[in-house]
Amino acid sequence: MEGAGMPGSVVVLLGPPGVGKGTQGVRLARSRGWAHVSTGDLLRDARETGSELGCQAQAYMDRGELVPDDVIVGLVKERLNSLPQSQGVVFDGFPRTIVQAEALDGALADDGRRVSRVLLLEAGEELLVKRIAGRRSSPNGRVYNVYFDPPEREGLCDETGEPLLHRADDQPETVRSRLAVYRKATAPLADFYQRRGVLARVDGEGEIGAIHEAVQTIVQKKQVRP
Ligand code: AP5
């Protein structure tokens, strides 16, 4: 819900695998009428359609490694170009490297926009591993958890009734690689955005609704304090 003719807000959700970026990203986007842009979802969609890009990305994803920056930046630019400039956007899982963050700045600057807020969701690794082990995803993007946020009917999406899926990269060994990659390549982005004064830390260990409220408060504060 942005002002008419005003450039839309651009919010980034940063944090390790399993911390709740997707869960919070979907809720934030729905509540504010923003687009939710998840590079993980874009890659999984590309894989589903059997596109060349999707097939190339699959090997990286299956190993828990990052897909090359140029592939990701190309995907994101294409998605951004498909949205009106006045559309607010919440990025989930992007950027993940300094190169991607700089490319995002460049793409936004072309439209006179900038990243308005980066929310760093934080949680301990033991909890992250348990959350990922229990994750089940609906084909419509809604995410559940057999331990923490189960669907009403076991194995089926509450919204569409479709069978829930277990992601191939959620095997324990791959999760360990993803956490190591996060620490090395993505965690430095916290300092990058801290220096710009746009970083806010959010405790990702609480209850989903309480975290959503905290996220909303931070995003709203940014809007009233230019
Ligand atoms: P991606 O799909 O982005 O995975 P990720 O970053 O590893 O994050 P996850 O999706 O695992 O976790 P999440 O933080 O979204 O948590 P969620 O909300 O699901 O990326 C997958 C792969 O694609 C990467 O490994 C890489 O290969 C590639 N890729 C993607 N983007 C890339 C990029 N920019 N550059 C290069 N490569 C890229 O929650 C997890 C579970 O916990 C769920 O079951 C949920 O229900 C539950 N949960 C969430 N919050 C709570 C809570 N507060 N309390 C209890 N349970 C909770």
Side-chain angles (χ1 to χ4, degrees):
M1 284 141 264
E2 310 284 333
M6 297 281 288
S9 301
V10 179
V11 169
V12 169
L13 297 183
L14 189 63
V19 77
K21 302 181 297 296
T23 303
Q24 297 300 330
V26 167
R27 281 169 172 74
L28 180 64
R30 280 189 187 168
S31 68
R32 303 192 74 83
W34 291 351
H36 170 231
V37 179
S38 154
T39 41
D41 287 348
L42 291 177
L43 292 167
R44 281 183 285 275
D45 288 348
R47 209 173 49 186
E48 279 296 298
T49 60
S51 73
E52 197 185 323
L53 185 150
C55 297
Q56 282 171 3
Q58 176 154 15
Y60 294 96
M61 296 172 82
D62 287 350
R63 290 194 299 264
E65 294 171 6
L66 293 184
V67 174
D69 288 330
D70 56 337
V71 174
I72 296 291
V73 168
L75 264 182
V76 168
K77 282 189 175 168
E78 196 179 300
R79 183 78 180 97
L80 264 184
N81 288 338
S82 73
L83 297 170
Q85 206 195 323
S86 57
Q87 170 78 62
V89 181
V90 52
F91 282 108
D92 152 11
F94 175 87
R96 257 170 150 105
T97 63
I98 301 284
V99 170
Q100 292 179 18
E102 289 172 343
L104 176 61
D105 285 345
L108 293 173
D110 291 345
D111 286 341
R113 300 165 83 183
R114 61 194 290 273
V115 172
S116 39
R117 185 55 100 194
V118 176
L119 294 105
L120 173 60
L121 298 172
E122 298 177 296
E125 285 201 5
E126 216 172 289
L127 181 61
L128 298 176
V129 169
K130 181 160 188 192
R131 279 191 188 168
I132 291 175
R135 170 169 42 203
R136 301 292 181 273
S137 310
S138 168
N140 79 346
R142 170 84 202 269
V143 180
Y144 298 85
N145 194 287
V146 296
Y147 306 116
F148 304 115
D149 184 22
E152 279 166 24
R153 285 178 301 159
E154 195 184 327
L156 299 176
C157 177
D158 293 345
E159 292 170 9
T160 65
E162 289 173 279
L164 300 177
L165 311 167
H166 197 181
R167 270 169 47 177
D169 62 345
D170 279 353
Q171 302 307 319
E173 220 166 86
T174 318
V175 171
R176 276 192 289 278
S177 308
R178 286 162 56 200
L179 286 166
V181 167
Y182 173 79
R183 283 192 294 269
K184 185 160 181 244
T186 308
L189 283 175
D191 279 348
F192 178 90
Y193 285 119
Q194 176 89 56
R195 283 196 293 275
R196 301 194 172 184
V198 293
L199 186 85
R201 292 173 189 272
V202 178
D203 179 358
E205 294 203 350
E207 191 267 321
I208 291 173
I211 297 171
H212 175 64
E213 291 304 315
V215 165
Q216 288 278 27
T217 303
I218 292 165
V219 168
Q220 277 158 12
K221 263 191 198 159
K222 174 61 191 160
Q223 288 187 330
V224 292
R225 267 204 337 234

